[in-house]
Amino acid sequence: MDRDTILRLVSEVPDHDGFPLVDDLHARFDALAAAHPDQVTVTRIGTSRLGEPLHSYRIGSGSHAAVIVGGVHPNEPIGSWTALHLASTMLEDPVAAAALDVTWHIVPTIDPDGMRLNEAWFHDPHDRVFYSRHFYRPAPDSQVEWTFPNSYKSVYFDQVLPETLAFMRLIDDTEPDLLVSLHNGEMGGVYYYLSEDLPDVIDLLHAVPESLGLPLDTGEPESPFLRELAPAVFAMDGIETAYDYLEGLGVDPGEHIHGASSASWAMRHGALCMVAELPYWSHPDADDQTPTDESYADLLRRCADELGASGTELQEILDLASPMTTIETPFLEGSRAFVPMLLSGPETDRARADREPADRMATVAERFGCEDLVRCFRLRYGGMLLRALEAETTAGTASAPLRRLRDRLAERYALWQADAVTGAEPIPVGRLVGVQYGAILACAAHVADPTRASRPAMATTNLPGGS
């Protein structure tokens, strides 16, 4: 499949008003399987923690295997439409399917339990305040993407979730040439993670958002240790790189690193791994490289102080509320994990600020990225803690002091909502799906290229129990 064909297919992705609910998503995949019984094989790969069957839909009979998994973070549903559009196209466009020579193994959502806790905002993903108020993200040790086995230096992790185990089995059973876990971000532009430095793929990863009128995210990267392969394309170097970076800063890596990712597991089989990170909202500052009058080091310190102050406020409320809570909701579990991170995370930024040249000025994009991360975390995790306290007030189990804490947090949260960035524009969902879909096609075309060298043998990695 050539570049022009991929860009044409990307341009044909339809728009959507919101995101499908979990039951609707599963019903749509089941309808596809019923309509194409000779082309779709449905396999149960596991069971969620709340007892929901997890299924993989095998489509096609190509000589290259690709695993595509949605819902790895349940607050990231762009991949729901992407997975559905990919499945529909491969079933209904035999020319495109034949050009890729791929057998697809598609999981619509690997964490249906968590995704259901975000469904309140799926019908209106364009309002950031509404989105954040109904936001849910599992605690790190309850995230499917980050609970793969891991053993490196002082870190040892083997608390694999049932959903992660299903994901692991699917990877081991299919030994894929390509793994794509379907992620997305929130604000800014498009950026990617890629497990290999592939100029032909990177060229298409740049061309796809450009063809849809979407900017690349060239500001502050998601993590400071990331290795850039090209603008807005970062290497998937694994937790070893993160660990060594934090250790070099004098920060305890064990406080920040636990499980490994799905990519680390798939690369044992020689898979090419890719993640496309897409925003719900764009902002003109996200790719503005104009220097500001603030040094990068001062920017890091200022935002670290602001984030730490917000963390202190939330931690005080959480500490006061904890003895009075009676309902162990996922929101409370998440709050107990993320609120302390708002206090410990700034430690890393302050440490690296001390190593930045004092005369290196921050760009507009970097300033926007750092400042918006503070806004994002306040809205996300303040909203989750508020949902945890509201579970008690709604159930009628909240004492009078707990109700007063809920009111105090709601008042503070309203101020953070009012501080939501101006000038942000919602991006049509169809364009976001188009970027993710096009990135998958670009990687699939690469692995199916008959002139490509054969993939490497299974590599050894630092995993509990060996590989």
Side-chain angles (χ1 to χ4, degrees):
M1 182 176 287
D2 60 24
R3 174 194 178 102
D4 290 343
T5 300
I6 291 174
L7 294 181
R8 175 183 61 79
L9 290 170
V10 164
S11 71
E12 295 171 355
V13 174
D15 199 11
H16 302 280
D17 291 331
F19 300 109
L21 305 184
V22 173
D23 288 343
D24 180 37
L25 178 62
H26 289 166
R28 289 171 183 262
F29 266 89
D30 288 340
L32 278 178
H36 304 274
D38 296 334
Q39 297 171 267
V40 182
T41 301
V42 184
T43 302
R44 182 166 177 171
I45 60 172
T47 308
S48 78
R49 279 161 284 178
L50 294 182
E52 184 150 351
L54 304 173
H55 293 106
S56 171
Y57 294 78
R58 190 184 72 199
I59 296 171
S61 56
S63 55
H64 303 276
V67 170
I68 314 294
V69 179
V72 287
H73 286 137
N75 60 294
E76 300 176 359
I78 293 172
S80 295
W81 286 128
T82 305
L84 188 63
H85 185 75
L86 174 67
S88 300
T89 304
M90 293 302 109
L91 288 168
E92 297 164 4
D93 187 342
V95 175
L100 290 173
D101 188 27
V102 168
T103 298
W104 302 93
H105 303 267
I106 303 174
V107 180
T109 175
I110 195 69
D111 185 6
D113 305 339
M115 186 169 277
R116 291 183 194 282
L117 298 180
N118 282 284
E119 289 186 335
W121 59 266
F122 278 11
H123 72 285
D124 184 14
H126 298 312
D127 185 337
R128 191 182 194 182
V129 170
F130 185 77
Y131 156 83
S132 301
R133 185 64 180 81
H134 300 278
F135 172 91
Y136 168 70
R137 187 177 180 94
D141 286 356
S142 294
Q143 295 177 10
V144 178
E145 181 64 280
W146 290 108
T147 48
F148 283 74
N150 178 35
S151 177
Y152 184 69
K153 294 186 177 178
S154 68
V155 172
Y156 187 92
F157 184 90
D158 60 1
Q159 299 172 39
V160 175
L161 304 173
E163 297 89 342
T164 311
L165 181 60
F167 200 167
M168 291 167 62
R169 285 188 186 126
L170 179 61
I171 290 171
D172 288 344
D173 287 347
T174 59
E175 298 186 357
D177 298 89
L178 172 65
L179 169 73
V180 179
S181 58
L182 298 170
H183 287 259
N184 62 258
E186 282 191 13
M187 176 74 74
V190 175
Y191 63 101
Y192 305 92
Y193 294 101
L194 196 62
S195 62
E196 300 174 38
D197 188 354
L198 303 171
D200 61 323
V201 174
I202 291 172
D203 179 61
L204 265 170
L205 295 183
H206 284 161
V208 168
E210 182 181 15
S211 73
L212 295 170
L214 298 183
L216 296 175
D217 195 320
T218 57
E220 183 73 1
E222 188 174 18
S223 300
F225 56 82
L226 292 174
R227 180 167 55 95
E228 191 175 66
L229 301 177
V233 182
F234 300 98
M236 271 185 191
D237 284 335
I239 62 90
E240 296 85 358
T241 300
Y243 187 107
D244 293 344
Y245 175 82
L246 292 172
E247 190 176 45
L249 285 179
V251 175
D252 180 8
E255 294 292 321
H256 302 272
I257 296 173
H258 302 282
S261 70
S262 59
S264 69
W265 197 259
M267 282 191 274
R268 298 158 65 251
H269 298 286
L272 170 65
C273 301
M274 188 276 295
V275 166
E277 293 279 9
L278 316 163
Y280 298 121
W281 309 279
S282 66
H283 194 281
D285 288 353
D287 63 346
D288 186 342
Q289 299 303 306
T290 305
T292 67
D293 59 0
E294 181 179 27
S295 75
Y296 183 64
D298 285 346
L299 171 67
L300 290 176
R301 294 188 186 100
R302 175 168 63 84
C303 290
D305 290 345
E306 292 175 2
L307 186 60
S310 299
T312 298
E313 291 184 78
L314 291 174
Q315 188 68 60
E316 181 181 352
I317 292 173
L318 178 60
D319 289 344
L320 291 171
S322 288
M324 296 182 280
T325 57
T326 62
I327 305 174
E328 290 294 321
T329 63
F331 312 117
L332 186 58
E333 178 193 19
S335 295
R336 286 171 175 159
F338 288 118
V339 169
M341 287 172 57
L342 301 189
L343 292 170
S344 63
E347 175 189 6
T348 301
D349 285 339
R350 293 189 187 103
R352 65 189 184 99
D354 293 339
R355 303 189 179 196
E356 291 290 336
D359 60 350
R360 205 278 253 185
M361 296 295 106
T363 66
V364 171
E366 287 170 336
R367 182 178 64 189
F368 176 80
C370 287
E371 291 178 345
D372 198 65
L373 187 67
V374 177
R375 287 187 288 265
C376 168
F377 283 179
R378 283 173 176 169
L379 290 171
R380 277 185 172 193
Y381 303 125
M384 277 181 55
L385 180 55
L386 195 49
R387 292 184 78 179
L389 300 187
E390 285 178 340
E392 302 277 350
T393 58
T394 301
T397 58
S399 63
L402 188 58
R403 290 198 306 273
R404 288 194 290 271
L405 280 176
R406 184 268 169 207
D407 293 343
R408 172 182 161 186
L409 177 56
E411 182 178 352
R412 186 59 175 152
Y413 191 72
L415 295 177
W416 289 341
Q417 288 177 312
D419 189 42
V421 65
T422 59
E425 292 291 334
I427 302 172
V429 173
R431 294 189 193 180
L432 301 173
V433 175
V435 172
Q436 204 166 55
Y437 174 61
I440 292 171
L441 296 182
C443 292
H446 174 83
V447 300
D449 184 351
T451 66
R452 183 177 69 99
S454 59
R455 63 179 179 173
M458 181 182 292
T460 58
T461 56
N462 295 311
L463 300 171
S467 59

